[in-house]
Amino acid sequence: MIPVAAGLVATWLAATTAAASDDTFLAALEADRRALVVQALPATPATLRTTLDDSLAAPRDPAQIWAARQWHNAMEPALARFVQDPALRTELLQRIYLEARLAGLPPALVLAVIQVESAFRADAVSSAGAVGLMQIMPFWIRELGLPADDLKDPWRNLRYGTTILAHYLAVERGDFTRALARYNGSLGKTWYPERVMRAWQRHWREPTGAGRATVQR
């Protein structure tokens, strides 16, 4: 992966989310609207600011909540192959949906990346030192977050991974192949994007209208 300016989105990474049930999902979406400032930071790069501002400013209406629940119901059977605990599956899906929507990503794409990267193991560590669900390299803590950040915390890991992928997608003007190759550190090769896209199409097909992102394929 290619580092970006230090402190890229520390305020965003510091936000916390809680979505324990369908009844609290809307409240969790609204909770991430609050502005948190943990330290003086440089301005967020233009490549990511539009995604953040648009996501946080978007109103949450009943149709969006219905779409989120439809998406959850569609994804849950496939996720059961990897996560046996029903309560954990529910929370993981809700968190992935929330983080993907905040980043302007298709939630099912995030599921596909996690499948390829870690097979949904929050404690996974690669031979190169990449950590957690979305296999984040530790140098990203210096670039994006705070020294205390634990990349094995699945919710923090999701915030890092979706932030990084959204940045690369913005850099590549919506080209998923190139953005995914950047995410993997293999720009110029297609094997990794092909693996992710294949997982997306085979295992994480979205219901019509659910989880639709702001980017275009």
Side-chain angles (χ1 to χ4, degrees):
M1 297 183 188
I2 301 171
V4 294
L8 176 64
V9 285
T11 53
W12 194 32
L13 286 167
T16 57
T17 58
S21 69
D22 279 348
D23 292 338
T24 61
F25 191 33
L26 178 56
L29 289 172
E30 294 293 347
D32 257 5
R33 291 172 178 266
R34 62 188 180 277
L36 299 180
V37 179
V38 295
Q39 60 183 5
L41 296 169
T44 305
T47 52
L48 200 57
R49 177 165 294 281
T50 299
T51 299
L52 286 172
D53 288 349
D54 287 350
S55 296
L56 295 175
R60 310 295 180 184
D61 59 30
Q64 289 176 316
I65 301 306
W66 179 86
R69 290 172 177 166
Q70 290 293 106
W71 182 85
H72 175 279
N73 292 339
M75 299 298 109
E76 197 274 340
L79 186 58
R81 299 171 51 226
F82 301 97
V83 180
Q84 295 184 351
D85 185 283
L88 180 58
R89 279 201 308 273
T90 293
E91 184 168 14
L92 183 57
L93 284 170
Q94 291 175 341
R95 297 275 186 153
I96 288 171
Y97 188 89
L98 171 62
E99 297 293 353
R101 288 296 299 264
L102 285 172
L105 298 170
L109 172 62
V110 176
L111 283 166
V113 169
I114 296 171
Q115 178 186 337
V116 170
E117 290 286 354
S118 69
F120 294 89
R121 287 183 51 209
D123 62 348
V125 180
S126 76
S127 59
V131 179
L133 289 177
M134 297 189 74
Q135 290 290 278
I136 309 302
M137 292 297 289
F139 73 78
W140 282 104
I141 294 176
R142 181 180 67 253
E143 300 294 339
L144 294 178
L146 302 170
D149 284 346
D150 180 4
L151 294 177
K152 288 187 178 180
D153 176 346
W155 315 142
R156 184 66 71 201
N157 193 281
L158 281 171
R159 183 62 60 95
Y160 271 85
T162 53
T163 299
I164 294 163
L165 185 53
H167 173 71
Y168 285 146
L169 193 60
V171 168
E172 295 298 343
R173 300 179 182 275
D175 186 326
F176 282 150
T177 297
R178 289 182 61 84
L180 286 166
R182 280 188 182 274
Y183 187 88
N184 176 252
S186 57
L187 187 62
K189 300 178 182 179
T190 62
W191 64 269
Y192 177 81
E194 287 171 358
R195 283 188 65 190
V196 172
M197 292 295 191
R198 189 159 51 245
W200 188 0
Q201 292 300 316
R202 289 181 178 177
H203 304 295
W204 311 107
R205 290 186 177 276
E206 301 192 38
T208 302
R212 187 167 295 167
T214 57
V215 296
Q216 299 295 321
R217 273 197 268 179

